[in-house]
Each structure stands twice: as structure tokens, then as C-alpha cells.
Amino acid sequence: MSFLEVENVSKVFLEPNGQSLCVFKTVRLHIEKGQFVTMVGHSGCGKSTLLNIIAGLETASAGAIILDGKETDTAGLDRMVVFQNFSLLPWMSVYENIRLAVRAAYPQWDRGKVHDYVQRYVHMVGLSESEHKKPAALSGGMRQRVGLARAFAVQPKVLLLDEPFAQIDALTRGAIQDELMRMWTATKNTVFMVTHDVEEAILLSDKIALMTSGPEAELAEIVDVKFPRPRLREEITELAEYARIKKYIIQFLKNCSREMPAGDATTGLDAVAVGQQLAAEV
Ligand code: ADP
Ligand code: MG
């Protein structure tokens, strides 16, 4: 039995016109404790929906989520989500945003213990100087650092990251990916992350789940990434195996790209990013 089991999960939405939309079907994905698993696929294939089902924020139409041996279908602090839009409380400072989550997760801790613990996580993401600032006074990169520190601080059974770096500029993104890797190495959390960035997926993951395009998307394949850790970006990007995996995934996405005609208003960020990567390849 695996630590987190996505067991033949399907999702059907009822659309306003009364028609039903099967987003994905019979997705089966097993994640071991401490593993970092990413999911890659075109916009609309249901990645966020699946992540929300794992989080208990959305219900599965069929199948089950089994976490640590127990079926789960409601939200809980054992699964923390980091969203693309940061979702910090705007009236609270960096410190207070993290403290709120820590107090909820560890109600038995006294003030001093909570304080020391929160400061440790603020420090881990390099925000000690800014701990009294409110989100509006922070850059996107800093906000997402708070989101990550908050999520890791709770020490959930599973961390769920939904394209956490999509709104962050490329230079900052690299630095935060490195921080994410360091926090993950230090805490050994189990992570499920959705991304449209193939290089990010290879750098961070133990396994990469490839989804076909929706509707009725399916988990086509799971790619193992076996580079030793800790990984240095400069080193692994030089490896022939890195180039092979990257080419393979980009080709996979290209082959199931029926959802991404250029300029179509329904195509999302993922398609644009994949398009850019494809353009860079040729
Ligand atoms: P992804 O994250 O892979 O881009 P989503 O999970 O956001 O995809 O969405 C998958 C599909 O499900 C899309 O076609 C979207 O329009 C549809 N969808 C998502 N949420 C709802 C909802 N609450 N009601 C109806 N359709 C939805
Ligand atoms: Mg999404």
C-alpha cells in the first residue's frame, strides 16, 4: 500500500446547459511517503480539479483518495495547498499569516513555541527582514515564499502545489524552486505538484505523471526521474538523460495538443508555455 493513493478517480461536471463533462477518467496514481511527484498536461485536462479532489475541496465522481491507509473526502490540515494566486490574508503580515496556520495545526503549543517555530520558517525563506510587512507590500516571489513557508510549517502529510510559480518571473522562479527543494529536503514532505514547466518538473520530481488532453483525459504515463539528490540545476541540465527526458515529455505534449490552437481564447497558460518550449526546441 502506498502513502497516497489516487485510486481510479474520475470527474464529471454538470454544465449549466445540462450536459455532463467528463474531465478525466480512472486516474490511478500512487505516491510513496516523502516522494515529490509532479503532473504535467495541457490546460483543461483537469490537473487543478484532481489536486482539489486530493485536497478534499472537490469531490470525485468515481474512485477514491486513500491517504495513509484511510479514505479521505473532506479537507483537512493534513493536506496543505499552495495556489498560483498566493492566497494570503491581506490584512495580516508575513509573520501573522504563517502563525495563523501554525496555531491551527498545533493548538496545544504555547505562544513562545509558536513564535520560535514561525520565525524559523520565516527565516528559511529569507523573509526575516520583511516579517512585519503585509502581502500588498511584497513582490509576487516574496508572497509565494510566504505561501510555501506556511504550507511547510504545518508539516502536512501531503503538500499540494498548483502551479505555484506560474505568476512569478523566470529569474525569481529559479531561486524559489531552489528554496522549495531545500525545504523539501529538510522536511521530507510528500509533495504532489501541478506544473506546466517541463524543466521545473524534471528538476524537482521523483516521478512525472503525464496527462492526455481533456475532455476524458487519462493519465497516460509516469516518467521516473532518477537523478541523485541533492540536485544542482547547473549539473543536471548538462546530462544527456535530462535532455532525453525533456524531449520525451515535450514530444508527448505535442502529440496530445489538440486543445491548443494558437490564439484560441480557451487555451490557458499551460498551452502558451508549452508552445514557447516547443518553439525553443526547433
Ligand atoms: P487544468 O488545471 O488542467 O487546466 P482544470 O482542472 O482547471 O484544468 O479544469 C478542467 C476542466 O474542468 C475544464 O474544462 C474546466 O472548464 C472544467 N471545470 C473546472 N471546474 C469546473 C466547475 N466547477 N464546473 C464545471 N466545469 C469545471
Ligand atoms: Mg489548473
Side-chain angles (χ1 to χ4, degrees), residues 199-272:
E199 296 191 351
E200 174 174 285
I202 304 172
L203 179 70
L204 298 172
S205 312
D206 296 308
K207 289 174 186 290
I208 305 175
L210 304 181
M211 289 288 277
T212 64
S213 295
E216 299 201 19
E218 290 177 277
L219 201 172
E221 199 175 330
I222 295 171
V223 176
D224 282 320
V225 185
K226 291 183 174 152
F227 302 125
R229 298 182 187 267
R231 294 177 184 166
L232 282 178
R233 182 190 312 268
E234 312 80 77
E235 282 175 16
I236 73 157
T237 51
E238 294 296 317
L239 301 173
E241 177 67 0
Y242 176 89
R244 193 191 68 77
I245 297 175
K246 181 175 165 187
K247 190 168 175 193
Y248 184 82
I249 296 175
I250 289 176
Q251 196 60 44
F252 170 87
L253 293 168
K254 194 175 172 184
N255 290 343
C256 65
S257 64
R258 60 193 152 101
E259 293 279 286
M260 53 174 290
D264 183 335
T266 62
T267 58
L269 241 184
D270 321 35
V272 174

Side-chain angles (χ1 to χ4, degrees), residues 94 98 121-132 138 141-143 145-146:
V94 167
I98 299 173
Y121 278 85
V122 171
H123 180 72
M124 226 187 266
V125 289
L127 288 177
S128 297
E129 305 267 290
S130 308
E131 67 175 7
H132 297 302
L138 305 175
M142 290 160 95
R143 284 183 216 176
R145 286 191 164 95
V146 182

Side-chain angles (χ1 to χ4, degrees), residues 154-167:
V154 167
Q155 295 191 19
K157 284 183 178 165
V158 182
L159 254 165
L160 301 165
L161 310 177
D162 192 355
E163 303 201 24
F165 309 131
Q167 294 191 21

